[in-house]
Amino acid sequence: MDYETKPDGYYDNIRDEMIKYLPDNPKTIIDIGCGNGAFAEVLKEQTKAEVWGIEYMDKEAQVAKDKLFKVYSGKCEDYIEELPDNYFDAIYFNDVLEHLVDPYMVLDKIKHKLTKDGVVISSIPNVRYHNTFMRVLVQKDWKYEDFGVMDRTHLRFFTKKSIKRAYEELGYSIVTHEGINRSRSIKPYLYNIPMLFTQLDIRYPQYATVAKYKKS
């Protein structure tokens, strides 16, 4: 996987649309896949919380270390066991889980790091997004790209339904599950006419999910 050739700004992307999913008054947050810490730094400034990060690219992780409380450099799978149990009020995965070999294992282990009322917050690409879906259906093609839904570094592909199922099968309860960054194109609506507008999930390139894990 080539993460070195990502376009400018890939690792300093501030996901403003994901901030609203934070719980009230979080004291501890970890941003998994934090890039250079730009988004996590905004969270820190807005909440005054203790904010951690994990970043696969060492160059970006070193930059993030100057901004955050603690940053691990490397694969998140290598550090989950080191994270304190029952500690984080919010755990972010902004377009990260689809890059992992086993995102289900990661979600299963990370739930033990949540506080009693803590949440996992994720943004995950929707493979049924109209540009991708119609390319498969009409053009009979599956073409990888440098970024986006068909990022060539994606190892897993999800839909609205499969994201929800993944969380629930791991014992999470869904708080919020909704499409984000809706397409401005009229095409999804035109495609929906013969389907009686039952396929409107194709409007969204990503789904945002907030999930809790009820501890036994």
mmCIF file of all heavy atoms in Angstrom, residues 173-195:
data_model
loop_
_atom_site.group_PDB
_atom_site.id
_atom_site.type_symbol
_atom_site.label_atom_id
_atom_site.label_comp_id
_atom_site.label_asym_id
_atom_site.label_seq_id
_atom_site.Cartn_x
_atom_site.Cartn_y
_atom_site.Cartn_z
ATOM 1 N N SER A 173 -24.300 -0.695 20.478
ATOM 2 C CA SER A 173 -25.620 -0.171 20.138
ATOM 3 C C SER A 173 -25.418 1.121 19.353
ATOM 4 O O SER A 173 -24.540 1.929 19.686
ATOM 5 C CB SER A 173 -26.460 0.086 21.392
ATOM 6 O OG SER A 173 -25.819 1.015 22.247
ATOM 7 N N ILE A 174 -26.200 1.298 18.317
ATOM 8 C CA ILE A 174 -26.044 2.445 17.427
ATOM 9 C C ILE A 174 -26.770 3.664 18.004
ATOM 10 O O ILE A 174 -27.961 3.597 18.324
ATOM 11 C CB ILE A 174 -26.598 2.134 16.031
ATOM 12 C CG1 ILE A 174 -25.888 0.910 15.427
ATOM 13 C CG2 ILE A 174 -26.451 3.344 15.116
ATOM 14 C CD1 ILE A 174 -24.409 1.081 15.193
ATOM 15 N N VAL A 175 -26.046 4.756 18.140
ATOM 16 C CA VAL A 175 -26.617 6.021 18.588
ATOM 17 C C VAL A 175 -27.028 6.867 17.383
ATOM 18 O O VAL A 175 -28.118 7.421 17.336
ATOM 19 C CB VAL A 175 -25.615 6.799 19.466
ATOM 20 C CG1 VAL A 175 -26.201 8.150 19.885
ATOM 21 C CG2 VAL A 175 -25.193 5.984 20.678
ATOM 22 N N THR A 176 -26.130 6.948 16.411
ATOM 23 C CA THR A 176 -26.367 7.711 15.186
ATOM 24 C C THR A 176 -25.748 6.946 14.026
ATOM 25 O O THR A 176 -24.654 6.384 14.157
ATOM 26 C CB THR A 176 -25.722 9.113 15.264
ATOM 27 O OG1 THR A 176 -26.222 9.814 16.393
ATOM 28 C CG2 THR A 176 -26.004 9.924 13.997
ATOM 29 N N HIS A 177 -26.465 6.930 12.896
ATOM 30 C CA HIS A 177 -25.934 6.266 11.702
ATOM 31 C C HIS A 177 -26.546 6.980 10.505
ATOM 32 O O HIS A 177 -27.727 6.791 10.205
ATOM 33 C CB HIS A 177 -26.314 4.784 11.708
ATOM 34 C CG HIS A 177 -25.704 3.981 10.610
ATOM 35 N ND1 HIS A 177 -24.361 4.021 10.300
ATOM 36 C CD2 HIS A 177 -26.267 3.109 9.716
ATOM 37 C CE1 HIS A 177 -24.124 3.195 9.295
ATOM 38 N NE2 HIS A 177 -25.259 2.648 8.918
ATOM 39 N N GLU A 178 -25.754 7.832 9.844
ATOM 40 C CA GLU A 178 -26.318 8.669 8.793
ATOM 41 C C GLU A 178 -25.285 9.001 7.719
ATOM 42 O O GLU A 178 -24.082 9.023 7.972
ATOM 43 C CB GLU A 178 -26.865 9.963 9.383
ATOM 44 C CG GLU A 178 -25.822 10.822 10.083
ATOM 45 C CD GLU A 178 -26.431 11.996 10.837
ATOM 46 O OE1 GLU A 178 -27.667 12.026 11.010
ATOM 47 O OE2 GLU A 178 -25.663 12.900 11.255
ATOM 48 N N GLY A 179 -25.788 9.264 6.521
ATOM 49 C CA GLY A 179 -24.922 9.657 5.427
ATOM 50 C C GLY A 179 -24.392 11.062 5.610
ATOM 51 O O GLY A 179 -25.069 11.926 6.175
ATOM 52 N N ILE A 180 -23.168 11.287 5.135
ATOM 53 C CA ILE A 180 -22.564 12.618 5.217
ATOM 54 C C ILE A 180 -21.972 13.000 3.863
ATOM 55 O O ILE A 180 -21.743 12.150 3.005
ATOM 56 C CB ILE A 180 -21.463 12.685 6.302
ATOM 57 C CG1 ILE A 180 -20.405 11.594 6.092
ATOM 58 C CG2 ILE A 180 -22.070 12.561 7.689
ATOM 59 C CD1 ILE A 180 -19.224 11.695 7.047
ATOM 60 N N ASN A 181 -21.738 14.287 3.697
ATOM 61 C CA ASN A 181 -21.150 14.834 2.468
ATOM 62 C C ASN A 181 -21.967 14.459 1.228
ATOM 63 O O ASN A 181 -21.424 14.026 0.204
ATOM 64 C CB ASN A 181 -19.692 14.383 2.323
ATOM 65 C CG ASN A 181 -18.837 14.843 3.486
ATOM 66 O OD1 ASN A 181 -18.954 15.976 3.938
ATOM 67 N ND2 ASN A 181 -17.993 13.967 3.996
ATOM 68 N N ARG A 182 -23.274 14.639 1.335
ATOM 69 C CA ARG A 182 -24.194 14.235 0.271
ATOM 70 C C ARG A 182 -23.831 14.842 -1.074
ATOM 71 O O ARG A 182 -23.464 16.006 -1.171
ATOM 72 C CB ARG A 182 -25.625 14.641 0.642
ATOM 73 C CG ARG A 182 -26.678 14.139 -0.323
ATOM 74 C CD ARG A 182 -28.072 14.413 0.190
ATOM 75 N NE ARG A 182 -28.388 15.837 0.156
ATOM 76 C CZ ARG A 182 -29.489 16.374 0.676
ATOM 77 N NH1 ARG A 182 -30.359 15.602 1.305
ATOM 78 N NH2 ARG A 182 -29.712 17.659 0.593
ATOM 79 N N SER A 183 -23.939 14.039 -2.098
ATOM 80 C CA SER A 183 -23.673 14.487 -3.462
ATOM 81 C C SER A 183 -24.640 15.605 -3.864
ATOM 82 O O SER A 183 -25.829 15.569 -3.536
ATOM 83 C CB SER A 183 -23.827 13.315 -4.434
ATOM 84 O OG SER A 183 -23.761 13.777 -5.770
ATOM 85 N N ARG A 184 -24.135 16.582 -4.579
ATOM 86 C CA ARG A 184 -24.974 17.666 -5.094
ATOM 87 C C ARG A 184 -25.547 17.328 -6.473
ATOM 88 O O ARG A 184 -26.329 18.085 -7.032
ATOM 89 C CB ARG A 184 -24.165 18.961 -5.176
ATOM 90 C CG ARG A 184 -23.682 19.473 -3.816
ATOM 91 C CD ARG A 184 -22.878 20.745 -3.964
ATOM 92 N NE ARG A 184 -22.410 21.243 -2.677
ATOM 93 C CZ ARG A 184 -21.661 22.331 -2.530
ATOM 94 N NH1 ARG A 184 -21.295 23.038 -3.589
ATOM 95 N NH2 ARG A 184 -21.280 22.719 -1.317
ATOM 96 N N SER A 185 -25.129 16.192 -6.996
ATOM 97 C CA SER A 185 -25.579 15.781 -8.326
ATOM 98 C C SER A 185 -27.044 15.357 -8.314
ATOM 99 O O SER A 185 -27.546 14.808 -7.322
ATOM 100 C CB SER A 185 -24.714 14.619 -8.816
ATOM 101 O OG SER A 185 -25.229 14.086 -10.017
ATOM 102 N N ILE A 186 -27.716 15.571 -9.411
ATOM 103 C CA ILE A 186 -29.104 15.120 -9.569
ATOM 104 C C ILE A 186 -29.164 13.636 -9.954
ATOM 105 O O ILE A 186 -30.215 12.994 -9.874
ATOM 106 C CB ILE A 186 -29.825 15.978 -10.635
ATOM 107 C CG1 ILE A 186 -31.350 15.774 -10.539
ATOM 108 C CG2 ILE A 186 -29.305 15.673 -12.039
ATOM 109 C CD1 ILE A 186 -32.136 16.700 -11.438
ATOM 110 N N LYS A 187 -28.026 13.074 -10.325
ATOM 111 C CA LYS A 187 -28.003 11.695 -10.810
ATOM 112 C C LYS A 187 -28.590 10.683 -9.827
ATOM 113 O O LYS A 187 -29.353 9.799 -10.240
ATOM 114 C CB LYS A 187 -26.570 11.298 -11.188
ATOM 115 C CG LYS A 187 -26.050 11.978 -12.441
ATOM 116 C CD LYS A 187 -24.634 11.520 -12.750
ATOM 117 C CE LYS A 187 -24.099 12.208 -14.007
ATOM 118 N NZ LYS A 187 -22.712 11.788 -14.300
ATOM 119 N N PRO A 188 -28.248 10.750 -8.513
ATOM 120 C CA PRO A 188 -28.833 9.756 -7.601
ATOM 121 C C PRO A 188 -30.352 9.749 -7.606
ATOM 122 O O PRO A 188 -30.977 8.695 -7.443
ATOM 123 C CB PRO A 188 -28.280 10.171 -6.232
ATOM 124 C CG PRO A 188 -27.035 10.923 -6.530
ATOM 125 C CD PRO A 188 -27.306 11.633 -7.824
ATOM 126 N N TYR A 189 -30.960 10.905 -7.803
ATOM 127 C CA TYR A 189 -32.417 10.989 -7.843
ATOM 128 C C TYR A 189 -32.964 10.409 -9.149
ATOM 129 O O TYR A 189 -33.986 9.710 -9.152
ATOM 130 C CB TYR A 189 -32.865 12.442 -7.667
ATOM 131 C CG TYR A 189 -32.491 13.011 -6.328
ATOM 132 C CD1 TYR A 189 -31.327 13.765 -6.172
ATOM 133 C CD2 TYR A 189 -33.279 12.777 -5.207
ATOM 134 C CE1 TYR A 189 -30.974 14.277 -4.928
ATOM 135 C CE2 TYR A 189 -32.929 13.284 -3.958
ATOM 136 C CZ TYR A 189 -31.774 14.031 -3.835
ATOM 137 O OH TYR A 189 -31.428 14.524 -2.606
ATOM 138 N N LEU A 190 -32.265 10.662 -10.234
ATOM 139 C CA LEU A 190 -32.689 10.093 -11.519
ATOM 140 C C LEU A 190 -32.588 8.575 -11.489
ATOM 141 O O LEU A 190 -33.492 7.873 -11.970
ATOM 142 C CB LEU A 190 -31.837 10.664 -12.656
ATOM 143 C CG LEU A 190 -31.951 12.171 -12.889
ATOM 144 C CD1 LEU A 190 -30.993 12.606 -14.006
ATOM 145 C CD2 LEU A 190 -33.381 12.563 -13.245
ATOM 146 N N TYR A 191 -31.495 8.067 -10.917
ATOM 147 C CA TYR A 191 -31.322 6.615 -10.814
ATOM 148 C C TYR A 191 -32.404 5.989 -9.942
ATOM 149 O O TYR A 191 -32.745 4.812 -10.091
ATOM 150 C CB TYR A 191 -29.950 6.275 -10.213
ATOM 151 C CG TYR A 191 -28.756 6.745 -11.006
ATOM 152 C CD1 TYR A 191 -27.558 7.078 -10.370
ATOM 153 C CD2 TYR A 191 -28.807 6.847 -12.402
ATOM 154 C CE1 TYR A 191 -26.450 7.497 -11.079
ATOM 155 C CE2 TYR A 191 -27.701 7.281 -13.122
ATOM 156 C CZ TYR A 191 -26.525 7.606 -12.455
ATOM 157 O OH TYR A 191 -25.430 8.032 -13.168
ATOM 158 N N ASN A 192 -32.943 6.772 -9.014
ATOM 159 C CA ASN A 192 -33.924 6.261 -8.057
ATOM 160 C C ASN A 192 -35.351 6.221 -8.589
ATOM 161 O O ASN A 192 -36.207 5.579 -7.983
ATOM 162 C CB ASN A 192 -33.875 7.097 -6.771
ATOM 163 C CG ASN A 192 -33.093 6.408 -5.669
ATOM 164 O OD1 ASN A 192 -33.629 5.584 -4.941
ATOM 165 N ND2 ASN A 192 -31.813 6.737 -5.571
ATOM 166 N N ILE A 193 -35.609 6.883 -9.693
ATOM 167 C CA ILE A 193 -36.974 6.932 -10.215
ATOM 168 C C ILE A 193 -37.550 5.533 -10.453
ATOM 169 O O ILE A 193 -38.635 5.213 -9.961
ATOM 170 C CB ILE A 193 -37.049 7.805 -11.479
ATOM 171 C CG1 ILE A 193 -36.809 9.274 -11.109
ATOM 172 C CG2 ILE A 193 -38.414 7.660 -12.166
ATOM 173 C CD1 ILE A 193 -36.695 10.202 -12.298
ATOM 174 N N PRO A 194 -36.844 4.663 -11.188
ATOM 175 C CA PRO A 194 -37.424 3.325 -11.413
ATOM 176 C C PRO A 194 -37.456 2.468 -10.142
ATOM 177 O O PRO A 194 -38.171 1.466 -10.090
ATOM 178 C CB PRO A 194 -36.501 2.705 -12.466
ATOM 179 C CG PRO A 194 -35.222 3.438 -12.329
ATOM 180 C CD PRO A 194 -35.588 4.839 -11.944
ATOM 181 N N MET A 195 -36.692 2.890 -9.127
ATOM 182 C CA MET A 195 -36.653 2.136 -7.872
ATOM 183 C C MET A 195 -37.560 2.765 -6.814
ATOM 184 O O MET A 195 -37.488 2.402 -5.637
ATOM 185 C CB MET A 195 -35.204 2.079 -7.349
ATOM 186 C CG MET A 195 -34.217 1.486 -8.339
ATOM 187 S SD MET A 195 -34.640 -0.202 -8.806
ATOM 188 C CE MET A 195 -34.382 -1.039 -7.266
#
